[in-house]
Amino acid sequence: MSESVNESMSESRHQDITVVHLMRHGEVANPDGVLYGRLPGYHLSELGRQMADRVAEHLASRDVTQVIASPLERAQETATPIAKAHGLDLGTDGRLIEAENVFQGKTFGVGDGALRRPENWKYLVNPVKPSWGEPYVEQVVRMMGALDAAKDAARGHEAVLVSHQLPIWIVRSFVERRRLWHDPRKRQCTLASLTTFTYRGDKIVSVGYSEPARDLVPSHLLAGAKPVKGKSKAFGA
């Protein structure tokens, strides 16, 4: 086989591989401990901005050609330094938005008694759907749509999508063929983490996970950490 044919085949194989990173946003300024959900007006804290900068540095040498974020401020602010590092315009995809939740705007953390309030019981009857918010299946559909769109736009290169903990964990669970209902305390999706999907052509062939800003994440917010009273992991969704 001639050298030119070998080079052509190698280039073709390279172009057939596309990488899409699903990034969770950085820490949010939320002194009142509100489950903010899709509410506007929640911005990154100073620590959250440091997390975003750290991940931008981590990805600076990667072949990123698309940076796209959820429309919520915390995601847009997390994505901005990544787009800037690659000289790209920041795109927005509404499919990357946080999951709907009936407890949005309320405090709903460890030890605050929310689960003992009778007015909340009707929302807790079906954890499989779940009954308190956007069905898991609907999250899978929209997140897979966002992933596929990014894969097509960045074909042969890499894309970064900034989203939120629950939708990221749900679409990863779907791809890895796990049940969608789960214990929220066991999600592997720390602040500013990267869940990375590698495609060969149009097929996902591997899923990876990394935490470039792990040393900046408060210990009670790390994946698998024991919940601390008054410091619910739900707030950083």
Side-chain angles (χ1 to χ4, degrees):
M1 189 176 293
S2 70
E3 183 176 344
S4 62
V5 172
N6 279 328
E7 290 176 353
S8 178
M9 290 179 65
S10 176
E11 181 179 356
S12 176
R13 284 193 295 269
H14 175 72
Q15 291 175 344
D16 201 36
I17 298 297
T18 307
V19 176
V20 181
H21 305 279
L22 261 182
M23 180 182 176
R24 185 182 171 195
H25 61 78
E27 184 190 64
V28 174
N30 182 21
D32 296 325
V34 173
L35 199 159
Y36 35 73
R38 294 182 175 181
L39 293 174
Y42 284 88
H43 299 268
L44 292 183
S45 65
E46 180 55 36
L47 181 59
R49 294 183 184 279
Q50 292 177 32
M51 293 176 183
D53 289 340
R54 173 72 62 80
V55 179
E57 293 171 6
H58 174 77
L59 294 172
S61 63
R62 304 297 292 259
D63 184 23
V64 175
T65 61
Q66 299 286 321
V67 181
I68 304 166
S70 154
L72 296 173
E73 293 99 331
R74 57 193 185 270
Q76 294 276 315
E77 292 165 1
T78 299
T80 294
I82 300 172
K84 183 177 180 180
H86 291 276
L88 299 170
D89 292 331
L90 174 59
T92 300
D93 189 332
R95 291 173 293 191
L96 296 171
I97 199 167
E98 176 61 286
E100 290 181 318
N101 192 311
V102 298
F103 298 111
Q104 175 178 290
K106 302 177 181 179
T107 57
F108 195 77
V110 177
D112 69 358
L115 295 178
R116 295 193 295 272
R117 298 171 192 161
E119 65 269 24
N120 290 335
W121 294 348
K122 63 184 176 182
Y123 299 120
L124 304 173
V125 296
N126 186 358
V128 176
K129 187 178 179 179
S131 52
W132 56 82
E134 181 183 11
Y136 293 138
V137 172
E138 293 182 11
Q139 294 180 53
V140 167
V141 171
R142 63 178 173 85
M143 291 295 287
M144 285 301 299
L147 280 169
D148 286 343
K151 173 259 300 176
D152 290 340
R155 192 173 291 274
H157 304 279
E158 300 188 24
V160 179
L161 309 183
V162 180
S163 186
H164 307 268
Q165 185 190 58
L166 179 55
I168 294 172
W169 181 248
I170 289 300
V171 75
R172 177 182 173 183
S173 296
F174 172 77
V175 170
E176 294 183 329
R177 299 184 179 183
R178 289 192 301 274
R179 70 187 188 199
L180 301 183
W181 60 275
H182 61 282
D183 182 343
R185 297 169 297 181
K186 296 182 179 180
R187 294 174 189 158
Q188 189 184 42
C189 191
T190 296
L191 290 166
S193 62
L194 297 172
T195 300
T196 300
F197 299 81
T198 299
Y199 290 79
R200 183 178 295 278
D202 293 323
K203 181 180 179 181
I204 296 173
V205 293
S206 69
V207 180
Y209 176 78
S210 60
E211 298 175 353
R214 181 182 176 87
D215 61 304
L216 299 177
V217 178
S219 60
H220 69 280
L221 295 177
L222 291 169
K226 184 178 180 180
V228 177
K229 185 174 181 179
K231 295 185 177 181
S232 171
K233 294 175 72 173
F235 302 153

